[in-house]
């Protein structure tokens, strides 16, 4: 009798470029992260609201982390690679050399980051056109999308960048080009950030009316005239130079990429939920909302027919899950806001030293400190007199007002660790209240969502997760693999390799549930009242701005 030899495990590499770091993971065919590595990347802030990066620095980090995760693995078992990245804008010349996106002429700084808000006047003019393509971005284009940034470059760097440019890439597409030498774009990037439509392609009239008619003349060569669905194989796979740089086998499949939030959505939203007693069990995937929570947060909901949601991006056809329409809400600063509030507080040095002494992170220590001071109250009730409006970097959804500012109501003269813990809690609650605001707007437009699926760095914080469950009144599903964005990128590589028949099949087999957090319905009345106050805050902000604008 001969025992049947087991087939070797198949591996896929997922590479994720976030705002501040590049990460890679080796993921097996069952969705398990076998190895993981990360490396920081540089951000320049030459002036307020200008954020820049270097595509060379980013690619070097991609190569470094990938070599680490595949070290010691049989190359024949690595079947494909998928990239995701922030929706930042990369400028290169006709020979693919970096072009400066700054007045200093620093060519290595050739990336305008997604969170850059330099193009405020340009986006106002674009929105004033009321062009029909704007109906696919919630009616109002965001300053974080690419057309206003391109217009800013033309108006401010015409000779040094605009006229010399050979290509403008969304960062995820730049990475697939570096890997394959093919300038094809992902349907995800061009639909979500560039106004491409899956049925009609580019709309010449839009680019002409906003003053970027140059892009039409060369048949959109600079911004992409070959578009692939996410997960589709690009070119002939990994080219020799890139294979050497990444430490991967030449010719393995490279997938058309995704924006990072969409990769996170892919990694969690399709997981099998049987046996977890969730309202979305035996319901279509359209009953789920994927939340990707990091520096910023994205709220991804899908539908079988297009749903137009005021102030929420989309509907985008096949931009995340093939065959389904995507709506994408978002908050421009979440993890960044929590860091800003905590690190800027006068008691932060005390927190830092006490957290270090207890060998805990500052956020684990703050959560424990809140448990100490709550006494007999539920933790969330500590903020009965403290309220935050979280739009310190403007409102992306559902108000689409980048001029909104942050607000804190209920401050005292106290300066200690207790007060720091309370403002930290109130900030987390404000972010969750913002999610409720987005969710209710999506529901009012026609979405039927009953379960939240969270991933990203903030999903590791139990207080953040519980507040989202309590404030929205919906169960929160956490994936088994914390690095869901990387699993999503690996799913792309798996699809490109041909090992799965579809993205949906790969999502179901590689996405795994870890833990479910249920809302505490006894706290509903308290959070309903907090939500009333939350909505009043923005009313008051608009009232006092109206008063001051009448000067």
């Amino acid at each position: 009798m001969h025992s049947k030899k087991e087939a070797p495990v198949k591996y896929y590499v997922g590479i994720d470029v976030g705002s501040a770091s590049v990460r890679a993971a080796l993921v097996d065919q069952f969705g398990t992260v076998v190895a993981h590595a990360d490396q920081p990347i540089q951000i320049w802030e030459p002036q307020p609201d200008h954020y820049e990066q270097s595509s060379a620095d980013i690619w070097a980090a991609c190569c470094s982390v990938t070599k680490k995760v595949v070290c010691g693995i049989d190359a024949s078992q690595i079947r494909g690679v998928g990239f995701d990245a922030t929706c930042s804008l990369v400028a290169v010349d006709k020979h693919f050399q970096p072009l400066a996106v700054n007045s200093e002429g620093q060519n290595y700084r050739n990336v305008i980051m997604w969170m850059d808000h330099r193009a405020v006047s340009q986006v106002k003019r674009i929105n004033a056109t009321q062009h029909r393509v704007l109906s696919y971005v919630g009616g109002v284009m965001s300053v974080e999308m690419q057309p206003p940034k391109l217009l800013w470059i033309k108006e401010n760097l015409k000779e040094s960048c605009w006229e010399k440019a050979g290509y403008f890439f969304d960062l995820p597409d730049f990475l697939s080009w570096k890997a394959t030498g093919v300038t094809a774009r992902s349907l995800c990037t061009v639909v979500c950030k560039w106004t491409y439509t899956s049925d009609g392609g580019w709309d010449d009239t839009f680019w002409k009316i906003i003053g970027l008619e140059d892009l039409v003349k060369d048949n959109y060569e600079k911004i992409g005239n070959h578009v692939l669905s996410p997960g589709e194989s690009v070119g002939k796979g990994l080219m020799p130079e890139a294979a050497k740089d990444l430490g991967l086998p030449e010719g393995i499949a490279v997938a058309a990429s995704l924006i990072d939030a969409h990769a996170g959505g892919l990694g969690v939203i399709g997981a099998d939920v049987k046996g977890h007693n969730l309202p979305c069990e035996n319901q279509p995937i359209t009953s789920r909302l994927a939340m990707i929570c990091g520096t910023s947060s994205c709220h991804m909901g899908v539908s079988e027919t297009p749903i137009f949601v005021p102030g929420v991006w989309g509907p985008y056809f096949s931009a995340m899950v093939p065959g389904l329409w995507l709506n994408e809400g978002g908050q421009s600063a979440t993890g960044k806001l929590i860091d800003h509030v905590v690190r800027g507080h006068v008691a932060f040095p005390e927190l830092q030293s006490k957290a270090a002494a207890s060998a805990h992170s500052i956020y684990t220590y703050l959560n424990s400190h809140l448990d100490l001071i709550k006494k007999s109250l539920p933790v969330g009730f500590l903020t009965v007199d403290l309220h935050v409006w979280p739009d310190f970097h403007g409102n992306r959804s559902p108000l689409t007002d980048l001029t909104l500012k942050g607000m804190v109501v209920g401050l005292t003269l106290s300066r200690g660790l207790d007060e720091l813990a309370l403002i930290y809690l109130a900030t987390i609650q404000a972010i969750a209240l913002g999610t409720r605001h987005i969710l209710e707007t999506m529901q009012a437009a026609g979405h039927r969502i009953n379960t939240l699926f969270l991933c990203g760095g903030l999903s590791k914080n139990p207080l953040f997760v519980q507040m989202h469950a309590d404030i929205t009144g919906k169960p929160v599903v956490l994936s088994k693999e914390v690095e869901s964005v990387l699993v999503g990128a690996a799913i792309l590589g798996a699809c490109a390799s041909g090992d799965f028949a579809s993205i949906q099949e790969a999502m179901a087999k590689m996405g795994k549930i870890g833990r479910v957090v249920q809302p505490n319905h006894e706290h509903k009345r308290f959070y309903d009242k907090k939500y009333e106050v939350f909505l009043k805050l923005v009313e008051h902000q608009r009232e006092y701005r109206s008063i001051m604008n009448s000067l």
Side-chain angles (χ1 to χ4, degrees):
M1 292 284 290
H2 294 283
S3 60
K4 187 177 179 181
K5 190 176 180 182
E6 285 190 22
V9 175
K10 296 173 181 176
Y11 294 111
Y12 313 97
V13 175
I15 301 170
D16 163 55
V17 179
S19 299
S21 67
V22 174
R23 305 179 303 153
L26 186 70
V27 182
D28 69 19
Q29 70 211 60
F30 310 107
T32 303
V33 175
V34 177
H36 168 266
D38 63 83
Q39 181 169 311
I41 49 177
Q42 196 160 355
I43 297 173
W44 288 270
E45 189 182 355
Q47 53 185 292
D49 285 335
H50 287 229
Y51 295 94
E52 297 168 7
Q53 290 184 310
S54 159
S55 64
D57 178 48
I58 289 167
W59 181 250
C62 289
C63 297
S64 175
V65 293
T66 303
K67 283 177 177 173
K68 287 176 184 173
V69 299
V70 300
C71 184
I73 298 294
D74 181 349
S76 67
Q77 292 176 257
I78 303 172
R79 303 274 300 154
V81 58
F83 293 94
D84 74 77
T86 62
C87 46
S88 300
L89 179 68
V90 184
V92 295
D93 67 17
K94 294 171 180 64
H95 305 289
F96 297 96
Q97 295 304 303
L99 275 177
V101 292
N102 49 76
S103 56
E104 297 93 336
Q106 302 288 342
N107 281 329
Y108 60 91
R109 284 163 38 202
N110 67 318
V111 180
I112 298 180
M113 286 187 73
W114 65 271
M115 61 184 181
D116 185 290
H117 283 193
R118 70 180 68 184
V120 171
S121 69
Q122 287 77 15
V123 82
K124 282 181 181 174
R125 279 180 273 143
I126 290 171
N127 285 324
T129 68
Q130 297 185 336
H131 193 279
R132 60 178 172 266
V133 300
L134 300 180
S135 65
Y136 287 91
V137 292
V140 181
M141 180 168 283
S142 166
V143 72
E144 294 171 7
M145 292 181 176
Q146 309 304 10
K149 291 173 181 172
L150 292 169
L151 188 55
W152 184 92
I153 289 173
K154 182 176 180 179
E155 292 178 351
N156 292 273
L157 303 172
K158 188 168 185 179
E159 290 182 10
S160 61
C161 183
W162 185 256
E163 291 177 351
K164 292 180 180 178
Y167 302 90
F168 292 104
F169 287 101
D170 218 279
L171 183 53
D173 296 323
F174 171 82
L175 298 172
S176 60
W177 166 75
K178 281 292 284 187
T180 65
V182 176
T183 60
R185 312 304 169 99
S186 167
L187 187 66
C188 174
T189 59
V190 293
V191 165
C192 295
K193 305 299 173 187
W194 298 71
T195 74
Y196 188 90
T197 59
S198 49
D199 52 353
W202 297 116
D203 188 322
D204 294 356
T205 64
F206 170 72
W207 297 101
K208 289 174 181 175
I209 201 171
I210 69 168
L212 293 179
E213 62 284 344
D214 334 32
L215 299 175
V216 181
K217 288 175 186 172
D218 64 356
N219 192 30
Y220 298 100
E221 178 71 20
K222 286 184 179 180
I223 62 173
N225 49 26
H226 179 204
V227 179
L228 300 173
S229 294
E232 201 173 332
S233 186
V234 181
K236 296 179 180 178
L238 200 59
M239 61 182 184
E241 185 182 348
K244 184 179 177 184
D245 288 346
L246 292 163
L248 293 172
E250 182 182 333
I252 66 164
V254 176
S257 54
L258 279 174
I259 297 166
D260 54 351
H262 301 64
L266 207 64
V268 296
I269 202 170
D272 185 352
V273 299
K274 284 189 179 73
H276 289 272
N277 194 30
L278 286 163
C280 63
E281 187 174 345
N282 301 319
Q283 296 288 316
I285 196 173
T286 53
S287 63
R288 308 175 182 192
L289 183 84
M291 272 189 64
I292 299 83
C293 318
T295 305
S296 61
S297 290
C298 292
H299 306 70
M300 325 286 273
V302 292
S303 57
E304 292 178 0
T305 56
I307 298 175
F308 291 84
V309 186
V312 172
W313 297 341
Y316 304 133
F317 186 66
S318 290
M320 184 173 77
V321 181
L324 294 177
W325 294 84
L326 171 71
N327 283 107
E328 179 188 348
Q331 295 161 295
S332 291
T334 50
K336 188 175 178 66
L337 174 61
I338 295 167
D339 273 353
H340 173 78
V341 168
V342 170
R343 294 177 184 274
H345 196 278
V346 68
F348 179 68
E350 180 188 353
L351 168 64
Q352 224 175 359
S353 62
K354 286 185 173 178
S358 66
H360 287 121
S361 75
I362 56 173
Y363 295 115
T364 300
Y365 189 89
L366 279 173
N367 292 350
S368 299
H369 191 75
L370 285 166
D371 282 334
L372 284 176
I373 64 176
K374 72 175 185 177
K375 298 178 182 173
S376 61
L377 286 172
V379 164
F381 290 22
L382 288 169
T383 58
V384 66
D385 291 323
L386 184 61
H387 310 280
V388 171
W389 179 263
D391 292 330
F392 285 49
H393 198 51
N395 183 283
R396 186 190 298 172
S397 304
L399 303 177
T400 61
D401 185 348
L402 60 88
T403 68
L404 284 175
K405 305 289 189 271
M407 299 172 70
V408 183
V409 175
L411 293 174
T412 70
L413 292 175
S414 301
R415 296 157 51 91
L417 196 53
D418 287 2
E419 285 65 39
L420 171 50
L422 291 176
I423 191 70
Y424 158 73
L425 171 60
T427 302
I428 286 178
Q429 289 175 332
I431 292 166
L433 290 162
T435 290
R436 177 169 167 174
H437 197 193
I438 292 166
L439 190 58
E440 289 190 357
T441 305
M442 292 176 72
Q443 303 266 52
H447 280 276
R448 297 290 176 264
I449 294 160
N450 57 35
T451 311
L452 307 184
F453 287 68
L454 260 64
C455 69
L458 291 175
S459 70
K460 301 172 191 176
N461 183 334
L463 181 66
F464 184 89
V465 174
Q466 190 64 59
M467 287 298 105
H468 274 76
D470 290 351
I471 286 170
T472 63
K474 300 189 186 303
V476 173
V477 177
L478 301 174
S479 57
K480 185 177 181 183
E481 292 293 345
V482 175
E483 306 298 347
S484 297
V485 175
L486 286 166
V487 172
I491 285 173
L492 294 175
C495 288
S497 74
D499 291 343
F500 294 91
S502 66
I503 277 188
Q504 286 93 329
E505 183 192 348
M507 283 164 58
K509 291 186 176 175
M510 294 177 69
K512 298 283 187 282
I513 285 185
R515 194 163 64 90
V516 174
V517 176
Q518 295 288 350
N520 189 328
H521 295 295
E522 291 179 8
H523 300 169
K524 181 180 184 301
R525 188 167 180 273
F526 177 82
Y527 290 116
D528 284 349
K529 293 298 181 184
K530 284 282 287 188
Y531 187 56
E532 278 186 49
V533 174
F534 180 78
L535 296 178
K536 285 287 183 189
L537 290 177
V538 72
E539 279 183 36
H540 291 321
Q541 181 171 162
R542 285 175 163 169
E543 281 175 21
Y544 75 65
R545 286 170 66 178
S546 175
I547 292 167
M548 296 309 296
N549 288 340
S550 66
L551 281 172

